[in-house]
Amino acid sequence: MKTPALSEPSRPVWDLFVRVFHWTLVGTVLLNQFVLEEGETLHEWAGYLAAALVVARIVWGFIGSRHARFADFFPTPARLLRHVRAMRSGHPEHHWGHNPLGALMMFLLMGLVLALGVTGWMQGLDAFWAEEWLQDLHELLAHALLLSAGVHAASAIVMGRVERTRLVKAMVTGVKERY
């Protein structure tokens, strides 16, 4: 939804599944990067949990609540162009769900988590055991995920101010508020 009624100051947007998915994924990524030891069983299981969460979120993107569905925010070229033009003009569009750039970031983050899951799993196969290129790729993907997550978090804060919405609070409460 692009343009809300101006009299509508808040709306339930993120359902419980989306919020639990988001914060559980954040937790597994942080654990794997900063707490759990590479190659250890807990690191592997946290990675598999992260990949399973993404798969569940993809399913939820087709059957979930309105703003969780990909159809609500899929970043088509036309949507992206309109969004960027509106931001550049100083009159950003309001989106109750993800804006087109936020949707792109969401897909990037989910793709990186899945790629990490696959490359991590491959390292346990006899065919790829101790393959340095695969270990390097897995590490590169992990760094790309952390960098992207940092950009995502910073963008949520900045875009919240630009769009005059409480984006971070909405991912906790499920209600997106305009101010």
Side-chain angles (χ1 to χ4, degrees):
M1 187 66 123
K2 286 185 308 217
T3 309
L6 293 177
S7 62
E8 191 175 3
S10 67
R11 178 187 291 184
V13 175
W14 307 126
D15 60 44
L16 183 61
F17 177 87
V18 168
R19 290 177 284 144
V20 169
F21 156 78
H22 180 269
W23 294 113
T24 305
L25 187 60
V26 168
T28 59
V29 168
L30 292 176
L31 278 172
N32 256 0
Q33 186 63 34
F34 299 112
V35 178
L36 302 175
E37 203 58 43
E38 294 175 17
E40 296 291 325
T41 301
L42 283 177
H43 177 88
E44 292 173 12
W45 282 104
Y48 295 145
L49 173 59
L53 285 166
V54 170
V55 170
R57 178 60 181 95
I58 290 169
V59 171
W60 197 246
F62 293 101
I63 66 170
S65 63
R66 175 184 175 188
H67 295 296
R69 291 184 186 207
F70 298 141
D72 185 63
F73 60 82
F74 194 81
T76 64
R79 286 178 177 174
L80 283 162
L81 186 59
R82 185 175 57 243
H83 179 70
V84 170
R85 282 183 178 159
M87 285 182 52
R88 291 184 74 193
S89 74
H91 302 288
E93 301 172 312
H94 177 74
H95 298 266
W96 282 111
H98 288 290
N99 69 43
L101 291 175
L104 270 183
M105 178 57 78
M106 182 184 131
F107 288 131
L108 172 65
L109 292 167
M110 291 193 316
L112 287 168
V113 169
L114 288 177
L116 277 161
V118 169
T119 57
W121 171 75
M122 287 173 64
Q123 289 180 61
L125 299 175
D126 289 342
F128 298 102
W129 183 257
E131 286 287 340
E132 193 170 324
W133 69 267
L134 186 58
Q135 294 169 5
D136 291 344
L137 176 59
H138 188 74
E139 188 173 338
L140 177 69
L141 290 167
H143 291 306
L145 177 61
L146 281 180
L147 176 65
S148 299
V151 169
H152 165 67
S155 296
I157 293 166
V158 169
M159 289 307 296
R161 290 194 179 261
V162 168
E163 295 176 348
R164 301 183 50 85
T165 57
R166 303 187 196 295
L167 293 177
V168 177
K169 183 178 178 184
M171 194 47 76
V172 174
T173 66
V175 176
K176 196 169 187 181
E177 302 171 3
R178 293 184 55 120
Y179 63 91

